[in-house]
Amino acid sequence: MILVTGNKNKIKEFEYILGFKIENIDLELEEIQSIDVEEVARHKARTAYNILQKPVIVEDTGVYFEELNGLPGALIKFFVKNLSLEKICSLIGENRKAKTIACIVFFDGEKEIIVKGETKGVIAKQPRGNNGFGWDPIFIPEGYNKTFAELTSEEKQSKFMRQEAIAQLRDKLTT
């Protein structure tokens, strides 16, 4: 099976939790416009499989702001690309509650496995930290006073959304 991502940190996380090396290919996949990470991940998995004709694993993560009725969800990467992190933080008023959902899809042309992990937290008032990428500087996971980008590598090995989803995938692939 092939992990379809260009993110080297994701590759390391998958290998660490799965317990084995995994083949990786970075494909530029069309991403459908939806706030639903499962819908986006399923589409990407099927597209990647159609290109590679081999079993694939695809992951997509969304950030759901309670105050914005779930926006931006899976569109977070477009918000980050087109707005500054500071601007995203300023869009949120008093209700800063948010959740992140990681959805992983395994697809081999017939069998589809979908797993999800979720982390609740809040959106910071301003970006903080350099140990991360994308929206990491603005999300503070529940039980912490630091953003993902401020957490150490050891703290990031906690059971957050992606680690939870990868562990579920590992369990489903081995049963």
Side-chain angles (χ1 to χ4, degrees):
M1 72 189 114
I2 300 169
L3 176 62
V4 180
T5 184
N7 185 320
K8 300 298 179 200
N9 292 321
K10 280 186 189 179
I11 298 164
K12 288 178 188 174
E13 254 182 299
F14 270 84
E15 290 179 342
Y16 177 78
I17 294 168
L18 292 175
F20 56 84
K21 291 277 186 200
I22 189 165
E23 186 178 349
N24 166 248
I25 292 181
D26 182 9
L27 292 177
E28 286 295 321
L29 298 173
E30 174 190 25
E31 190 162 315
I32 61 171
Q33 300 304 295
S34 173
I35 67 169
D36 183 344
V37 290
E38 181 177 329
E39 188 177 351
V40 172
R42 289 182 77 212
H43 181 266
K44 285 171 34 176
R46 290 174 181 277
T47 302
Y49 176 82
N50 289 337
I51 292 168
L52 300 172
Q53 294 296 303
K54 293 181 181 179
V56 295
I57 297 173
V58 173
E59 185 262 357
D60 200 75
T61 303
V63 183
Y64 297 82
F65 300 165
E66 194 172 282
E67 179 150 306
L68 299 180
N69 297 320
L71 283 172
L75 298 173
I76 186 65
K77 64 191 74 144
F78 300 106
F79 274 54
V80 170
K81 181 179 177 182
N82 292 292
L83 302 170
S84 67
L85 291 173
E86 290 82 1
K87 180 67 175 174
I88 294 170
C89 289
S90 74
L91 293 173
I92 309 301
E94 291 300 310
N95 182 357
R96 305 195 77 77
K97 291 181 184 174
K99 66 181 176 182
T100 62
I101 298 175
C103 180
I104 299 172
V105 177
F106 166 87
F107 185 63
D108 68 3
E110 292 179 21
K111 182 179 181 181
E112 180 180 64
I113 298 172
I114 300 169
V115 293
K116 293 181 188 176
E118 180 178 306
T119 300
K120 293 181 179 182
V122 296
I123 300 302
K125 292 190 178 187
Q126 62 188 28
R128 303 189 324 242
N130 299 311
N131 189 19
F133 57 94
W135 48 266
D136 285 357
I138 66 170
F139 185 79
I140 302 169
E142 202 169 71
Y144 291 82
N145 60 8
K146 299 188 240 181
T147 66
F148 273 161
E150 293 175 305
L151 296 177
T152 65
S153 297
E154 293 77 29
E155 289 170 318
K156 282 188 174 188
Q157 294 305 320
S158 296
K159 195 172 183 181
F160 292 123
M161 69 285 172
R162 185 174 299 116
Q163 293 91 346
E164 181 183 327
I166 296 169
Q168 289 177 43
L169 178 66
R170 178 196 62 218
D171 294 346
K172 289 189 180 228
L173 289 173
T174 57
T175 57

